């Protein structure tokens, strides 16, 4: 690593990019370009029986679904026991993908403003085929070239420290209800201004300001992008932060202020939040181990799909993909088809003038270390009607019955289209009045966004749903400030 | 959790306690008291065959050594595969103790100075029987009273948030070479000054200043104490820190300054250290799973002990214990008897005037998440002569051949006497000249003590040996300042 020099800090670069009112291209242009990339590449995705998937097989001995090469991922069973939540023990299918991939943005200063290189990426599970992904979204086999196949464009900037400076490199978890301890490296690298980086088809430069605007539209900024963007911080380690003189009247300034708030302005000192989190990991038990899928009761494989006998939660289906713009022109693969109606929401409240989020310590089957910090409400398997009364999570009703004057964010966002079929969840932020004293269960805690981002930095502390949602509302923070 | 009030911060309390030149009782008095506790309680520990241990059994089906009640811990096998270090795959015995216990200090302001309540605790494996432990050192069964038995004194202050304020509560790992993913909660609680806490036999109040002095003596401050003390910070979250005007001429002021150094004074920005650490967890592989001990090749049980056929690394032995001052008056148990000659050392260097430690990302069989940050040298199984040439770890020679003018700390400290038999390691800090440019392998990184303590806060980032050593040199930091 190079010795520290005096230079514009990464926080200053991010802030300027978030406030860039004269971006390289307008946001409408980005949307038009995205639509055009969709038109140009003739994408076709159709569902098909698992038994007919080329290259994939359900192993007779185990019932596991895997690729004949042993690559990509497999669908296996997981045997879960926990004292968290209403169910104490169950088995379910889960995706096993032990390799650590890279999801990362190449950035570069253009006309003095940091721009992010986004990709118009088709993923077979996306409802709208093409969304904005990070510059690179590559499995370990992808970027080490084990597959043969085309080398992932721009990946050299992430692998060769002479080509770019690393701004962010964090190990982050993915959906703990669907993946068994899956993680990716979330990266942002900065390429020197004089590097004449070739702009390929399907790639475009955008500012953080634009990414913020695009996050405010349904299903444009994909899950991996949101995950990486959650690492953006506007105040550096060991900086006291500040509360701007004119306290935020708009929600976006309140978000920004919560992102830079000094610890003294927080409801709980950071050390107390750390203590609460340690308590949660000591308080709950989680035992989870992979088992052959054929031993998972109530789930069956009928040649077409793997599904629960009550049609519950999700099923595993096959898709046939034809696409011009990808490394491989056409392929077939399994995807997870989840029940509709998922709700992911943060309840927030201004406390002594500073916006706080109510985080939940949540146990999920695929969590590496017992609990991670999750949104206030994370309800992914309720079905279109939502969960039955009596089975609704705490704060579910509060969130779903919130009036328009309380709703600060409400968009459909997609989970990763490379693994999930038409999986959109409703992402919400609901603000409760400063005078409302909510009753807080032991596994919930009020934190500032700055405090939450401190946890993001350390792997397996903040789950993908929480990171995704803070990216949605936080990326353009400071825009209006 | 109570709402944040304006009050003396915990950092101010710690600093005042570390600088307390008029402690409640002098350090010589503490040592005299410790010797007296040793005399008063008539401790006797003798080794005995495992086969004769009351209550313990080697299961015929598995070869595992466990207590008949299923409590305490068991010795099982672990099957390890990794691409870190010279050995790619092996099996070895390992302690399995999945319960999360509490090790914690009760503190109270006495005459305006924060004092720590230490216990003169006999542990059967200690070379000198009695060392200073935290106020409470209790397994989960201990403090929930599952055993029947006497309730652990003072444990109520850790369990009832109305009795004391939590200053520290962190989940921390223990020896990854000996334990399979063992963790304890490391706690410091502060009891209100008006609480008339009963001072029992075997307990004494000491300041941080005294704990610093006592850490500078062989085998007085026990491992659990050192582990908890490593959480002490002299600068809080989001405080910029400062470099005092007169830069440290003594080592202890240099340690103090490194503990409070602003990030701009560090060789690597904190974000870069986080990135390096994520790289290390993505770079290396570790697969470790428990297996029946009888399937561990090259190790055998002969009724007396469990040992390697070459006498390597360690063996499992039995001890018979008679003690007046413990919850249970006499008992028998297994202990791990390690090879002598262990060396645990930090290499440090002043860089641009600020002291940096060279940390290592180390894979150990019992590590929960692939790597943890470890001292520059951690060589626990070398035997009395040290490891053979060619098998010596990087920097081993540098550390062991350091001249007296380079050695800043050099003491024998014991590993936990409740699990380890006469297990003393040589804990060293060696300073290299500012002009020496060391060649740094990819799994090493220079950090300030403040940066390292930021990692300590988050569980399973810094291993017990590193925490122990920074507690030894760091507790009295500021004494001379």
């Amino acid at each position: 690593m190079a010795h520290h020099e005096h230079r514009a800090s990464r926080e200053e670069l991010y802030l300027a990019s978030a406030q860039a009112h004269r971006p390289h291209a307008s946001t409408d242009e980005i949307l038009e370009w995205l639509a055009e990339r969709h038109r140009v590449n003739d994408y076709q995705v159709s569902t098909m029986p698992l038994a007919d998937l080329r290259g994939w097989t359900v192993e007779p001995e185990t019932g596991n679904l895997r690729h004949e090469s042993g690559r990509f991922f497999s669908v296996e069973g997981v045997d879960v026991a926990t004292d968290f939540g209403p169910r104490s023990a169950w088995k379910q299918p889960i995706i096993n993908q032990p390799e650590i991939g890279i999801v990362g943005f190449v950035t570069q200063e253009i006309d003095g403003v940091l721009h992010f290189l986004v990709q118009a990426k088709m993923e077979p599970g996306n409802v709208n085929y093409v969304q904005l992904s990070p510059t690179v979204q590559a499995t370990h086999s992808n970027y080490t070239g084990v597959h043969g196949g085309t080398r992932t464009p721009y990946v050299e900037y992430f692998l060769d420290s002479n080509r770019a400076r690393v701004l962010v490199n964090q190990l982050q978890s993915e959906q703990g209800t669907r993946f068994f301890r899956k993680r990716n490296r979330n990266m942002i690298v900065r390429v020197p201004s004089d590097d004449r980086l070739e702009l390929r088809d399907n790639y475009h430069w955008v500012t953080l300001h634009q990414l913020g605007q695009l996050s405010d539209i349904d299903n444009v900024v994909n899950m991996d992008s949101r995950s990486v963007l959650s690492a953006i911080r506007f105040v550096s380690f060991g900086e006291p932060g500040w509360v701007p003189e004119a306290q935020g009247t708009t929600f976006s300034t309140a978000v920004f202020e919560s992102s830079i708030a000094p610890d003294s302005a927080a409801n709980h000192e950071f050390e107390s939040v750390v203590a609460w989190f340690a308590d949660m990991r000591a308080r709950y038990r989680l035992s989870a181990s992979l088992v052959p899928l054929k031993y998972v009761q109530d789930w069956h494989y009928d040649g077409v799909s793997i599904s629960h006998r009550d049609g519950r939660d999700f099923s595993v289906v096959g898709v046939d993909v034809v696409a011009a713009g990808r490394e491989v022109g056409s392929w077939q693969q399994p995807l997870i088809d989840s029940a509709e109606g998922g709700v992911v929401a943060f309840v927030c409240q201004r406390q002594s003038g500073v916006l706080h989020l109510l985080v939940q310590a949540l146990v999920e089957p695929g969590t590496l270390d017992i609990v991670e910090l999750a949104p206030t409400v994370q309800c992914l398997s309720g079905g279109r009607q939502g969960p039955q009364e009596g089975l609704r999570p705490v704060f579910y009703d509060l969130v779903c019955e919130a009036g328009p004057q309380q709703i600060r964010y409400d968009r459909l966002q997609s989970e990763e289209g490379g693994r999930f079929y038409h999986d959109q969840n409703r992402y919400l932020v609901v603000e409760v009045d400063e005078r409302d004293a909510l009753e807080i269960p032991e596994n919930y805690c009020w934190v500032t966004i700055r405090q939450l981002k401190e946890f993001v930095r350390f792997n397996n502390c903040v789950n993908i749903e929480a990171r995704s949602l803070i990216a949605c509302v936080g990326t353009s923070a400071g825009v209006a400030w």
Side-chain angles (χ1 to χ4, degrees), chain A:
Chain A
M1 289 190 286
H3 202 280
H4 182 64
E5 299 158 30
H6 187 75
R7 63 168 89 76
S9 72
R10 64 196 82 195
E11 293 77 19
E12 287 161 354
L13 288 169
Y14 295 149
L15 194 53
S17 185
Q19 296 178 324
H21 296 289
R22 284 175 304 178
H24 191 64
S26 81
T27 302
D28 284 346
E29 277 176 302
I30 308 288
L31 288 172
E32 175 44 40
W33 166 77
L34 196 58
E36 183 253 334
R37 295 323 298 167
H38 186 184
R39 279 194 305 273
V40 168
N41 296 282
D42 189 22
Y43 302 122
Q44 289 170 35
V45 177
S46 47
T47 55
M48 60 177 288
L50 290 177
D52 300 338
L53 283 182
R54 196 167 53 238
W56 291 83
T57 182
V58 172
E59 289 184 328
E61 321 84 68
T62 61
N64 294 344
L65 175 64
R66 62 174 194 81
H67 195 261
E68 283 160 6
S69 67
R71 291 192 274 112
F72 305 111
F73 60 93
S74 57
V75 180
E76 309 183 16
V78 65
D79 186 357
V80 186
T82 181
D83 56 2
F84 181 97
R87 286 197 293 173
S88 62
W90 73 95
K91 296 195 185 78
Q92 67 166 69
I94 202 159
I95 305 172
N96 186 22
Q97 185 177 353
E99 279 192 350
I100 296 175
I102 292 178
V103 290
F105 284 108
V106 161
T107 68
Q108 190 175 40
E109 269 192 284
I110 299 174
D111 300 335
V113 176
L114 195 70
H115 281 67
F116 290 66
L117 189 59
V118 293
Q119 183 185 172
K121 189 171 181 73
M122 195 287 288
E123 297 278 12
N126 288 341
V127 287
N128 53 354
Y129 296 103
V130 184
Q131 298 188 7
L132 296 178
S133 84
T135 322
V136 162
Q137 199 172 299
T139 63
H140 193 261
S141 322
N142 263 164
Y143 71 77
T144 51
V146 177
H147 291 189
T150 323
R151 190 178 168 86
T152 308
Y154 304 110
V155 76
E156 62 273 17
Y157 291 103
F158 297 88
L159 303 178
D160 178 356
S161 60
N162 296 315
R163 300 293 301 271
R165 177 155 173 266
V166 175
L167 298 183
V168 166
N169 180 7
Q170 299 174 347
L171 207 54
Q172 295 294 2
S173 59
E174 302 203 352
Q175 286 84 347
T177 52
R178 300 289 183 260
F179 288 109
F180 189 70
R181 302 178 187 170
K182 185 190 174 193
R183 301 194 285 195
N184 271 323
R185 282 161 75 187
N186 283 223
M187 299 183 70
I188 302 177
V189 299
R190 181 182 170 199
V191 172
S193 299
D194 57 4
D195 185 313
R196 292 165 171 271
L197 186 145
E198 183 202 355
L199 189 64
R200 292 162 164 261
D201 284 351
N202 282 353
Y203 294 81
H204 207 297
W205 289 111
V206 299
T207 62
L208 271 185
H209 184 92
Q210 291 178 304
L211 282 166
Q213 292 177 317
L214 295 162
S215 299
D216 204 21
I217 306 171
D218 288 355
N219 295 320
V220 171
V221 178
N222 86 350
M223 186 198 83
D224 285 330
S225 292
R226 300 193 307 273
S227 177
V228 178
L229 292 172
S230 73
I232 301 277
R233 298 156 58 93
F234 297 115
V235 60
S236 72
F237 169 74
E239 229 186 273
W242 73 99
V243 181
E245 271 179 43
Q247 287 202 0
T249 44
T250 71
F251 184 68
S252 102
T253 55
V255 164
F256 177 57
E257 289 167 16
S258 181
S259 302
I260 59 167
D263 208 42
S264 57
N267 187 324
H268 304 299
E269 293 169 281
F270 187 66
E271 203 68 48
S272 299
V273 182
V274 168
W276 166 79
F277 189 56
D279 252 355
M280 292 298 103
R281 285 196 161 157
R283 160 76 182 78
Y284 295 107
R285 305 286 163 101
L286 169 65
S287 149
S289 49
L290 292 174
V291 295
L293 189 51
K294 71 192 291 188
Y295 297 133
V296 174
Q297 308 94 313
D298 299 331
W299 291 78
H300 69 289
Y301 168 57
D302 61 5
V304 176
S305 65
I306 297 164
S307 55
H308 192 271
R309 61 171 184 178
D310 300 336
R312 227 172 58 181
D313 295 346
F314 62 91
S315 57
V316 185
V317 301
V319 291
D320 177 71
V321 186
V322 180
R326 251 183 95 113
E327 301 96 277
V328 189
S330 74
W331 72 96
Q332 301 181 335
Q333 69 166 87
L335 288 175
I336 305 291
D337 183 7
S338 296
E340 293 179 39
V343 173
V344 175
F346 266 123
V347 167
C348 65
Q349 185 174 42
R350 286 171 219 229
Q351 298 175 350
S352 307
V354 173
L355 190 76
H356 284 70
L357 304 181
L358 188 57
V359 293
Q360 175 188 185
L362 181 67
V363 175
E364 300 180 280
T367 307
L368 175 74
D369 196 7
I370 308 169
V371 302
E372 292 187 9
L373 300 177
T376 322
V377 173
Q378 182 178 315
C379 182
L380 302 178
S381 52
R384 208 174 295 202
Q385 270 72 48
Q388 289 177 284
E389 229 178 297
L391 288 177
R392 289 186 196 161
V394 200
F395 303 114
Y396 182 87
D397 289 342
L398 185 152
V399 160
C400 292
E401 291 165 9
Q405 76 290 355
Q406 287 184 278
I407 294 177
R408 303 286 169 256
Y409 183 86
D410 186 3
R411 293 287 176 261
L412 290 173
Q413 297 292 1
S414 296
E415 306 309 315
E416 189 196 347
R419 297 290 173 272
F420 302 107
Y421 184 72
H422 291 193
D423 193 355
Q424 311 172 75
N425 289 302
R426 190 175 165 203
Y427 280 79
L428 283 157
V429 177
V430 170
E431 184 170 359
V432 298
D433 193 274
E434 193 149 6
R435 289 156 301 186
D436 288 355
L438 296 186
E439 198 178 310
I440 308 301
E442 66 168 7
N443 66 316
Y444 289 77
C445 184
W446 290 109
V447 298
T448 62
I449 294 176
R450 182 176 183 193
Q451 290 177 330
L452 187 55
K453 292 221 173 181
E454 197 65 24
F455 281 96
V456 168
R457 203 175 231 162
F458 294 88
N459 60 272
N460 295 87
C461 288
V462 182
N463 81 354
I464 177 78
E465 289 84 358
R467 298 198 314 276
S468 181
L469 192 45
I470 59 171
C472 286
V473 297
T475 304
S476 63
V479 167
W481 181 64

